[in-house]
Amino acid sequence: MRRLRPAYPRPDRAGWRRWLPSPRQWLGGLLGAVGLLALFLVGAYAATDIPTNLNSYATQQDNVYFWSDGTPMARTGWVRRQAMPLKDIPEDVRWAVLAAENESFYSDPGISVKGLTRALWRTVGEGDTEGGSTITQQYVKNVYLTQNQTVSRKFTEAMIALKLDNRMSKDQILEGYLNTSWFGRGTYGIQRAAQAYYGKDVTHLNASQAAFLASLLKGAGLYDPTLSKANHKRAVERWSWTLDRMVKIGKLSAAERATYKKFPEPLKSARTYDTGKQSDYLVELAQQYAKKAAHISDKQFDLGGYQIYTTFDRERETALTDAVAKARKQAKKDAPKLAATAHYGAASVATDGRILAVYGGPDHRTQGYNESNASTVRAGSAFLPFVYAAGLEHGVRKTRSGPTTEVTPQTLYDGDDGVPVTTPEGPYWDRSGKVVTAHNDGNKSYGRIALGKALAQSVNTPFMQLGMDTGLDKVSATAEAAGLLESSIGPQVPALSLGNSTPSAIRMASGYATFAAEGKHTEPYSVRRITRNGATVPLATPTARRAITARVAEQVSAALTDALNSAHPTVATPTAAGKSGTTADDTAAWYAGSVDSVSTAVVVYRMDLAKSLEPLPLKGLAGTSDDSVPYAVWSGATGLG
């Protein structure tokens, strides 16, 4: 034992050299460390069990959406996911994945020592665990573990992978991997990926298409070519590289590879929703809000299992949809050419922010955007209430340094047509050197008119000047506080007061709801509760905040009530208020207003999406001031029709 015990410090050396281990001591220490490491790994391997419970995605569910009354509205997700037996997955598809992800799959022990070392080095040196997973390791991570990028998870993954490789055949592992991996577009598994990207079963894929799908395993958000030009470039490079790797490892002939010169472009979009009618638009709104308010990632949401309780009212949705359908039918009968490019956007929003109903378009499956949520056309004179509210709230200033003068509904302004717009320094000149003048519908003059009456009669000229006197910045701020998005507010020029902003129907309804809510605004929302497998998912719900004073809101509402009663005396009711909106270039017609505690906004416009995003003249499609199509839809949706 004395002879085996190392002499340290070394007696045959002097000075600092006596503290240097001898070659024998170095060797002994190294062998001891290796032995301890081996014992540790053997113990860890023996102590690691393959979990009996699969991750939730292995029993992936659909997402269920409910109406506000709690009844089911729609179901979405790939819940009919078909787990394909490996024998039904073409060899070209299998080897495309293996060539891209793990060409040594059939010969490795289930782990990559080189990859694990690289992952550990990156973790210690750079703070992440990227690199080096075999398909067995990826399968273990997906099926049994979390996606957390930690050293402990990586170590556990390796131990389970080793044990799994001894208990399952390679074909079984590959089959499980191909059926459970995420490919984006809401799909798990190679079969659903083939359907989502190429509209066919995996059995009909060729090597070229398989090579593209294999690239998605690196991250669908980076390699789905339909998402961006950068994605398209990455996808093409990865596709070409994968085909070349298949040739290199002898799984694709050079002759066949030569036939795949053109990138196999996938479908532009998968059918995410298949619920029918307006439910598609409702699902779209609810899904977007749920992900944002509950901080749910796309990947988490695609796993399914969420119960999403929406704010949508079934009866109001039916009434709004029927009212638009009636208007569409009449338009096709009266003016079929104009009706071909007609668009109708509508929304009903409660004073507490709940979106109760929307009309997004004729069919979500053929139209790629929601007309109720689109900021495409100008608000026109439907914007006047926000100018009026700003003046009542902030007062006006006739000189730069003078005092602010209070504005009331009785304050008189010039209502004549062609009145020049003025500033404290004189007339307002546009960039072309012309004096800007205000005009009324039909170039009608009204003389001196009280602001409250001017709003009720939709006289434009007083409000164009009121906006200048109040300050266009205050007008914009008031509109935004009431519910319009900053991104939709028009340029800060006199025309702002006459509606050069482009709010969506949802936002216009939300803005008018602020007046009905005594000046308090609540951001519109479409989801009131979310659960997942019975557990409540934390959800941020908007709260009311003061936008304008209650007194100002009451004064605006009074003028809107007068506007509705004077234009439509047969439906006069003290709980209803609203006004029409037109644009000078005849590209949009609006009606917005409230009944009780619900505000509804309707817009009609023309746009030939195949040619341009520029609005086209309505040419009578929206009716006349006495027989307005937007009002007909509004009254039908609100029950006043």
Side-chain angles (χ1 to χ4, degrees):
M1 293 297 296
R2 290 195 192 98
R3 296 180 67 180
L4 290 173
R5 187 179 65 186
Y8 193 80
R10 297 168 64 188
D12 57 339
R13 294 287 188 272
W16 60 270
R17 290 182 177 83
R18 50 197 300 265
W19 298 98
L20 291 176
S22 67
R24 183 182 299 175
Q25 290 169 341
W26 278 112
L27 180 60
L30 179 61
L31 292 175
V34 171
L36 290 174
L37 178 61
L39 286 173
F40 171 75
L41 292 176
V42 170
Y45 179 84
T48 300
D49 292 322
I50 298 176
T52 57
N53 295 325
L54 300 180
N55 278 339
S56 59
Y57 84 91
T59 54
Q60 182 189 359
Q61 305 173 61
D62 55 357
N63 292 318
V64 185
Y65 297 80
F66 297 88
W67 293 101
S68 59
D69 62 4
T71 57
M73 182 182 77
R75 294 174 180 266
T76 65
W78 296 101
V79 293
R80 296 181 297 275
R81 174 171 61 91
Q82 181 182 357
M84 297 292 289
L86 192 65
K87 63 181 180 64
D88 293 336
I89 300 175
E91 285 200 13
D92 280 346
V93 177
R94 298 184 228 169
W95 279 105
V97 172
L98 293 174
E101 293 292 307
N102 184 190
E103 64 182 63
S104 63
F105 170 73
Y106 279 102
S107 60
D108 66 40
I111 65 171
S112 167
V113 176
K114 180 180 178 181
L116 286 171
T117 303
R118 183 166 64 248
L120 179 61
W121 173 257
R122 290 182 63 86
T123 301
V124 174
E126 300 181 30
D128 64 59
T129 57
E130 180 182 322
S133 292
T134 63
I135 278 180
T136 306
Q137 288 174 259
Q138 293 180 50
Y139 178 60
V140 167
K141 177 181 67 176
N142 291 339
V143 177
Y144 299 111
L145 303 176
T146 69
Q147 302 296 316
N148 296 334
Q149 298 290 316
T150 62
V151 175
S152 61
R153 199 234 63 205
K154 197 74 177 177
F155 181 78
T156 303
E157 171 192 302
M159 292 297 103
I160 296 177
L162 283 170
K163 187 160 286 189
L164 199 69
D165 196 71
N166 287 328
R167 293 190 183 180
M168 294 175 65
S169 70
K170 289 289 189 179
D171 281 352
Q172 287 176 318
I173 294 172
L174 180 59
E175 179 181 303
Y177 174 75
L178 291 174
N179 281 318
T180 55
S181 294
W182 188 60
F183 288 84
R185 294 194 181 183
T187 63
Y188 280 81
I190 192 71
Q191 166 71 343
R192 284 303 186 193
Q195 294 171 344
Y197 289 92
Y198 290 109
K200 61 177 70 175
D201 288 341
V202 66
T203 54
H204 298 133
L205 293 179
N206 59 35
S208 178
Q209 294 164 333
F212 161 68
L213 293 182
S215 71
L216 297 171
L217 294 168
K218 297 289 289 183
L222 293 174
Y223 288 89
D224 185 340
T226 63
L227 298 180
S228 68
K229 290 183 179 179
N231 272 27
H232 193 280
K233 181 180 179 182
R234 278 190 291 267
V236 172
E237 291 174 351
R238 184 75 178 176
W239 161 78
S240 180
W241 177 85
T242 300
L243 289 174
D244 290 342
R245 293 292 298 175
M246 292 179 71
V247 173
K248 184 176 181 180
I249 63 177
K251 299 302 178 180
L252 184 70
S253 68
E256 186 178 358
R257 169 65 179 95
T259 64
Y260 298 133
K261 296 179 180 179
K262 185 178 180 181
F263 179 67
E265 299 287 350
L267 301 174
K268 290 185 177 180
S269 63
R271 182 178 293 182
T272 307
Y273 315 125
D274 192 15
T275 55
K277 297 184 179 180
Q278 289 298 304
S279 295
D280 290 353
Y281 297 103
L282 304 182
V283 166
E284 180 183 59
L285 286 173
Q287 184 192 92
Q288 291 171 350
Y289 184 83
K291 289 180 180 180
K292 181 179 179 181
H295 305 290
I296 303 172
S297 69
D298 289 344
K299 191 170 184 178
Q300 288 174 315
F301 203 84
D302 288 345
L303 291 175
Y306 291 96
Q307 295 80 46
I308 300 151
Y309 297 85
T310 75
T311 61
F312 303 125
D313 184 289
R314 183 201 295 267
E315 292 184 1
R316 289 185 179 275
E317 181 64 32
T318 299
L320 179 59
T321 302
D322 289 347
V324 176
K326 183 178 179 180
R328 280 188 177 279
K329 182 178 180 180
Q330 189 64 43
K332 289 180 180 178
K333 179 181 178 181
D334 296 341
K337 289 186 178 180
L338 297 177
T341 54
H343 296 270
Y344 302 74
S348 294
V349 179
T351 53
D352 60 5
R354 290 173 296 129
I355 302 175
L356 302 180
V358 302
Y359 181 85
D363 190 338
H364 189 279
R365 288 164 288 188
T366 58
Q367 176 172 287
Y369 76 101
N370 186 339
E371 290 172 355
S372 72
N373 201 30
S375 299
T376 51
V377 293
R378 295 183 176 185
S381 53
F383 188 81
L384 297 186
F386 301 106
V387 184
Y388 185 42
L392 295 171
E393 183 85 4
H394 300 286
V396 298
R397 181 171 286 161
K398 293 295 186 178
T399 62
R400 295 295 182 192
S401 58
T404 299
T405 303
E406 181 184 7
V407 169
T408 71
Q410 289 74 42
T411 300
L412 297 176
Y413 265 76
D414 194 338
D416 283 342
D417 185 70
V419 176
V421 177
T422 62
T423 69
E425 289 77 27
Y428 185 95
W429 302 80
D430 63 17
R431 292 186 177 182
S432 64
K434 294 182 179 179
V435 174
V436 174
T437 57
H439 294 277
N440 297 317
D441 286 345
N443 300 117
K444 185 177 179 180
S445 292
Y446 296 82
R448 301 285 290 177
I449 187 172
L451 286 173
K453 185 177 181 180
L455 181 61
Q457 297 185 13
S458 198
V459 183
N460 295 336
T461 54
F463 294 99
M464 199 163 183
Q465 186 59 52
L466 177 64
M468 298 298 293
D469 295 344
T470 303
L472 297 178
D473 58 336
K474 291 183 176 63
V475 172
S476 297
T478 300
E480 291 173 31
L484 273 59
L485 293 177
E486 180 183 3
S487 59
S488 72
I489 300 297
Q492 302 291 289
V493 295
L496 173 72
S497 298
L498 296 190
N500 64 7
S501 300
T502 57
S504 66
I506 290 176
R507 285 292 169 171
M508 185 67 90
S510 178
Y512 274 64
T514 299
F515 303 134
E518 299 180 343
K520 289 185 177 181
H521 171 68
T522 304
E523 279 291 285
Y525 65 98
S526 56
V527 178
R528 56 187 176 85
R529 184 163 68 95
I530 300 176
T531 60
R532 190 168 194 270
N533 298 328
T536 299
V537 177
L539 179 70
T541 303
T543 56
R545 55 177 174 76
R546 176 64 61 186
I548 54 178
T549 65
R551 180 169 174 268
V552 168
E554 182 182 0
Q555 291 170 331
V556 175
S557 295
L560 293 176
T561 298
D562 290 343
L564 174 62
N565 293 345
S566 61
H568 306 280
T570 59
V571 298
T573 171
T575 61
K579 79 175 300 296
S580 61
T582 57
T583 59
D585 56 2
D586 187 39
T587 55
W590 290 81
Y591 199 90
S594 304
V595 178
D596 296 324
S597 59
V598 177
S599 290
T600 300
V602 180
V603 61
V604 178
Y605 62 98
R606 287 181 60 230
M607 188 178 290
D608 189 343
L609 297 176
K611 297 180 179 180
S612 171
L613 296 179
E614 287 297 317
L616 301 171
L618 287 167
K619 296 182 178 180
L621 182 70
T624 65
S625 57
D626 296 328
D627 186 19
S628 165
V629 172
Y631 172 77
V633 173
W634 182 87
S635 61
T638 57
L640 295 180

